[in-house]
Amino acid sequence: DLVFSFGSSATLAAQIVNGSPADVFVSASKSTMGTVTSAGVISTSSQFAKNYAAIMFYKDSKFDENITSLLSLLDTSNPGIKVGLCVETAPCGSLADLVLKNAGEAYGNQSLNRVEIADTESPSVEDLVSKIELGELDAGIVYESDCHFSATSKKSSGCVEIPDMHNGKALNLANEYYVGAINSKANSREFSQFIASSAFQSILQSKHGFSAP
């Protein structure tokens, strides 16, 4: 039987390095996989997907029709809007910061930053998604995959895509997903190889909003 443990990649990496039992580690960033490989817990890892940032919004929010771009998350655009981001140490938070930095340059608006936008910070993308689904927040920056899943299954949220470019400048970015077997067990290696396989990548891309590595 498969037993999953979900959480921020940074938190899971720290737990694994400190001896928490696990057979396979899936990371939402190259740096957190590097934490585990540098500690000698994993010898090799494989990238199997990319996940771009997206704006997720609560459909019953009074701002829902006004949320069309990253500029919509500013109080100057929608006074009183409640926006959440993942904490900076979580991959979803570091991705949001990089996208907002690009947005500040692309839109020529330096108010597009964590301090100006975030009313609250979540320890993980799962926590942030839940708060938006419940209407505790009007919007937030999450992964495309989480936004896609929530919009199609829970029906209480919607997604706004962030374009790759704006005014000829880079805007959206993606986190890279890696998988690695923690031990030499045959089952661990086989499961890790399946996650990295083209068949599994096809499922992620066609049904769950991920992009090719």
Side-chain angles (χ1 to χ4, degrees):
D1 292 341
L2 294 174
V3 178
F4 293 95
S5 179
F6 296 101
S8 162
S9 295
T11 299
L12 294 174
Q15 291 173 348
I16 291 169
V17 169
N18 288 322
S20 293
D23 297 308
V24 174
F25 177 47
V26 177
S27 172
S29 78
K30 187 175 183 179
S31 62
T32 49
M33 180 57 79
T35 298
V36 179
T37 54
S38 296
V41 181
I42 289 177
S43 57
T44 59
S45 62
S46 301
Q47 184 186 348
F48 65 93
K50 285 183 178 179
N51 210 354
Y52 285 86
I55 301 169
M56 179 176 171
F57 64 90
Y58 181 54
K59 281 188 174 179
D60 286 337
S61 165
K62 65 179 181 180
F63 302 103
D64 64 333
E65 294 184 358
N66 298 330
I67 299 173
T68 58
S69 73
L70 290 168
L71 290 171
S72 307
L73 304 182
L74 290 168
D75 272 321
T76 52
S77 300
N78 288 304
I81 189 171
K82 293 182 179 179
V83 178
L85 298 177
C86 293
V87 293
E88 296 174 84
T89 53
C92 54
S94 59
L95 177 63
D97 286 338
L98 291 171
V99 171
L100 288 172
K101 181 180 179 181
N102 281 355
E105 297 176 0
Y107 289 107
N109 190 328
Q110 297 309 310
S111 293
L112 288 163
N113 60 68
R114 176 178 293 270
V115 174
E116 295 291 334
I117 283 181
D119 294 291
T120 185
E121 296 181 331
S122 292
S124 67
V125 70
E126 292 84 5
D127 182 75
L128 179 54
V129 166
S130 177
K131 287 177 179 176
I132 298 170
E133 289 174 341
L134 294 172
E136 295 176 14
L137 295 170
D138 297 303
I141 299 176
V142 302
Y143 295 124
E144 275 190 356
S145 62
D146 293 290
C147 203
H148 176 272
F149 177 79
S150 178
T152 55
S153 62
K154 300 296 180 66
K155 310 295 185 182
S156 63
S157 63
C159 300
V160 174
E161 290 188 4
I162 300 172
D164 294 336
M165 306 282 291
H166 182 77
N167 286 338
K169 296 182 179 180
L171 184 54
N172 204 358
L173 295 168
N175 273 358
E176 299 174 345
Y177 281 60
Y178 290 81
V179 61
I182 293 174
N183 54 52
S184 59
K185 293 179 184 177
N187 287 345
S188 300
R189 294 197 306 272
E190 289 173 6
F191 186 72
S192 178
Q193 290 167 0
F194 169 70
I195 295 296
S197 70
S198 58
F200 185 70
Q201 290 179 27
S202 178
I203 294 171
L204 290 177
Q205 294 163 33
S206 63
K207 296 184 177 181
H208 300 290
F210 286 85
S211 299

